[in-house]
Amino acid sequence: MIEASNQPGDWADRMEQRVLDAALERAPTLGWNGRMVAAACRACGLSEGDRELLLPNGPRDLAALLWRRHDAAAMESLAVIDPDALKIRERISQAVSARLEVAAADGEAEKRLAGFLALPTNADLVLSLTWATADGIWRWAGDVATDWNHQSKRVTLSGILIPAMTLRLFDGREAADAFVAARIENVMAFEKWKAGRDFYAPLRTATDLLARLRYGPRDAA
């Protein structure tokens, strides 16, 4: 199990981490659900009222806390690596691998969380958390794009992260690494293909056509 870091913070921050630690101990037997949250809170001496104040969304709140803990731990492990010494595909591959290994360290509790997040009602949470992870990885890799590439890179990486996390938990590191390597190779091939192409040309053509329909030819005056 990954221990919570001893960083300064208010009571709520510290208690959230204590409850999360207690939840990780109980999730393998209780599952990732309201019952587990209640048991973890009781173990930390919280009343029902305190629990509702601290974790109003119950297991969803704890899921987000654990996910962000894993993000922080992955970034900490990457701090010893100089991304500038690596090719871009190597940067992304190493960052994704670090994130997968951090989560896998929580073993059965992480598998229970994966099952909880797979519920359709949690799709919004998964997308939000995965986007944040992808953003952190791209920032570590040195991405400075501010145009539509900023969005597309994170969407693409999110699409790699979600299945890769599942593969790492249930099929092992080798299967996950092979999947990530193949997907990154596909992405790099696409980036190379689209380099130099003007994807906004169709939009400009359509805009120009609409302008002509409304105002007539530009040279007509």
Side-chain angles (χ1 to χ4, degrees):
M1 181 190 303
I2 300 171
E3 298 294 333
S5 58
N6 294 319
Q7 297 180 346
D10 60 18
W11 174 88
D13 292 332
R14 295 192 300 271
M15 185 55 71
E16 282 176 345
Q17 296 304 316
R18 283 185 57 194
V19 173
L20 180 55
D21 287 334
L24 290 174
E25 294 176 1
R26 290 158 177 77
T29 55
L30 297 179
W32 202 277
N33 48 45
R35 181 185 172 200
M36 179 272 290
V37 175
C41 287
R42 283 196 303 270
C44 295
L46 292 178
S47 66
E48 184 175 346
D50 288 337
R51 183 182 79 220
E52 292 179 354
L53 287 173
L54 187 70
L55 303 166
N57 297 303
R60 280 172 61 97
D61 287 336
L62 278 183
L65 284 170
L66 181 57
W67 192 291
R68 291 175 185 131
R69 179 189 285 189
H70 289 162
D71 280 348
M75 288 298 109
E76 184 176 351
S77 72
L78 291 169
V80 300
I81 300 174
D82 178 12
D84 292 335
L86 305 173
K87 296 180 179 179
I88 186 64
R89 70 183 64 194
E90 294 172 335
R91 299 178 200 176
I92 300 303
S93 180
Q94 287 216 21
V96 170
S97 180
R99 180 59 175 79
L100 297 183
E101 292 310 302
V102 165
D106 276 324
E108 191 62 33
E110 181 67 17
K111 290 182 180 179
R112 295 287 189 162
L113 173 59
F116 172 75
L117 291 177
L119 297 173
T121 52
N122 293 320
D124 62 323
L125 179 62
V126 173
L127 292 175
S128 175
L129 293 172
T130 307
W131 176 277
T133 300
D135 182 56
I137 288 174
W138 272 113
R139 289 180 185 278
W140 175 81
D143 178 57
V144 294
T146 56
D147 57 7
W148 70 278
N149 281 304
H150 175 93
Q151 309 295 331
S152 65
K153 287 177 179 178
R154 284 145 183 83
V155 169
T156 301
L157 184 53
S158 294
I160 294 174
L161 280 167
I162 293 174
M165 288 177 175
T166 302
L167 281 170
R168 177 60 186 89
L169 288 174
F170 296 98
D171 294 330
R173 182 171 187 170
E174 186 176 340
D177 286 348
F179 172 82
V180 172
R183 298 293 80 74
I184 289 178
E185 189 62 34
N186 290 343
V187 171
M188 292 298 106
F190 174 69
E191 292 295 325
K192 183 178 180 180
W193 172 81
K194 77 176 186 179
R197 286 174 168 80
D198 187 357
F199 288 92
Y200 292 102
L203 178 60
R204 286 197 298 272
T205 300
T207 302
D208 185 61
L209 176 60
L210 290 173
R212 291 190 179 200
L213 289 173
R214 181 173 182 179
Y215 299 111
R218 292 179 181 176
D219 57 359

